[in-house]
Amino acid sequence: MPPREIAMNETIQTILDRRSIRAYQPRQIRKKELQEILLAGQYAPTAMGQQPWYFTVLQNPDLLEKLQIQCKSVFLHSDNEYLRQAASREEYHVFHHAPTLLIVSGDTQAITPLQDCVLAMENMLLAAASLGIGSCWVHSVVMLWGSPDGSALFKNLGIAIPQGHVPYAAAVFGYSAVPLPEAAPRKPDTVTIQQ
Ligand SMILES: Cc1cc2nc3c(=O)[nH]c(=O)nc-3n(C[C@H](O)[C@H](O)[C@H](O)COP(=O)(O)O)c2cc1C
C-alpha cells in the first residue's frame, strides 16, 4: 500500500513523502524558506538541552564548486567500491548541482554532538519537504573533514566552522528539477511490539 493511503496527518504525510532529490533547478531558495528550515533545525531535541550545534549555509556557487571538487576526490579515493565508481563518472556532482549546502557542526565536548546534529538535519530535511523544497544528505562533506588536512582545507576555503566543532551532517537544498522519486519498499520484519 503506498504511504499516501496510510498517513494520519500532514506531519506524517511529509515524513512519508520526503525523498532524496538528485537534480535541482538553478534558482536559489527564498530567504524566508531558508530561515524556516534553520528554525526547524534549531528545535531538534539535544542531550541535556545543550544545543551544541552550528549551522553553516553555503550559497556561493564558486565556493560550492571548489568544495564539491574536493569532496568528489574523497569519494574517488575511498575504500568503498560503490563510491569510487560513482565519483569516477565525469558528470557525477556530489552536490547534485543544488544551490544551497547546509552543514551542521557540533561541539566535540558536548555529550552527544553527533546525535544532536543529525537530529537537527533530519528536522531540516522534513521542514524543507513540507515547504516543497528538495534536499539530499551529502556525506562526502563529513568525509572530507575527516581526511588528512581536511579541517585545514575548510579553513582555506573560508568555510565557517567554529573552533572545537566537527561537521556531523551535511545536506543540499533546492527546488527539485525531477518528479518525486518513489520510495524503496520498506524492509519487512524490522519491528517487535512487546506487550
Ligand atoms: C548518513 C547518510 C549519508 C548519505 N549520503 C549520501 C550522499 O553522499 N549522496 C547522496 O546522493 N545521497 C546520500 N544519502 C541519501 C540516501 O542515499 C537516501 O536517503 C536513501 O537512498 C533513501 O532514499 P530517500 O532519502 O529518498 O528515502 C545519504 C543518507 C544518509 C542517511
Side-chain angles (χ1 to χ4, degrees):
M1 189 189 297
R4 188 163 271 82
E5 291 173 35
I6 55 171
M8 298 165 83
N9 63 38
E10 258 184 59
T11 303
I12 295 173
Q13 193 65 62
T14 298
I15 292 169
L16 300 183
D17 284 346
R18 181 214 53 80
R19 294 275 76 75
S20 294
I21 299 300
R22 298 191 175 87
Y24 292 89
Q25 301 175 29
R27 73 191 164 108
Q28 191 52 271
I29 59 174
R30 292 180 193 89
K31 283 205 175 90
K32 175 86 183 107
E33 291 170 329
L34 175 62
Q35 291 305 334
E36 297 265 302
I37 290 168
L38 289 164
L39 185 66
Q42 290 166 73
Y43 273 79
T46 52
M48 293 184 68
Q50 287 187 321
Q51 302 180 39
W53 45 43
Y54 194 80
F55 298 80
T56 306
V57 183
L58 302 182
Q59 293 188 316
N60 178 301
D62 291 339
L63 176 58
L64 283 174
E65 193 49 33
K66 281 183 191 151
L67 184 61
Q68 96 84 24
I69 288 167
Q70 298 295 336
C71 286
K72 193 168 168 174
S73 148
V74 166
F75 270 6
L76 269 174
H77 297 102
S78 101
D79 296 338
N80 183 294
E81 167 74 18
Y82 174 84
L83 294 181
R84 276 203 311 276
Q85 274 198 7
S88 62
R89 286 187 288 118
E90 202 181 323
E91 71 278 12
Y92 185 77
H93 194 277
V94 291
F95 299 155
H96 309 295
H97 298 287
T100 292
L101 171 72
L102 222 152
I103 302 169
V104 188
S105 60
D107 182 343
T108 57
Q109 298 303 306
I111 302 169
T112 56
L114 167 66
Q115 289 83 351
D116 300 338
C117 293
V118 166
L119 284 167
M121 185 58 87
E122 173 67 347
N123 266 16
M124 295 195 286
L125 302 183
L126 292 172
S130 80
L131 295 168
I133 293 171
S135 65
C136 189
W137 200 291
V138 286
H139 194 55
S140 53
V141 173
V142 170
M143 288 171 72
L144 177 63
W145 178 277
S147 69
D149 299 328
S151 57
L153 210 143
F154 276 66
K155 205 173 174 187
N156 291 341
L157 288 173
I159 298 171
I161 306 291
Q163 188 69 27
H165 277 226
V166 162
Y168 287 113
V172 292
F173 295 79
Y175 300 111
S176 174
V178 289
L180 194 67
E182 273 212 23
R186 298 296 99 178
K187 269 192 182 175
D189 307 323
T190 57
V191 178
T192 297
I193 299 175
Q194 297 185 307
Q195 290 176 324

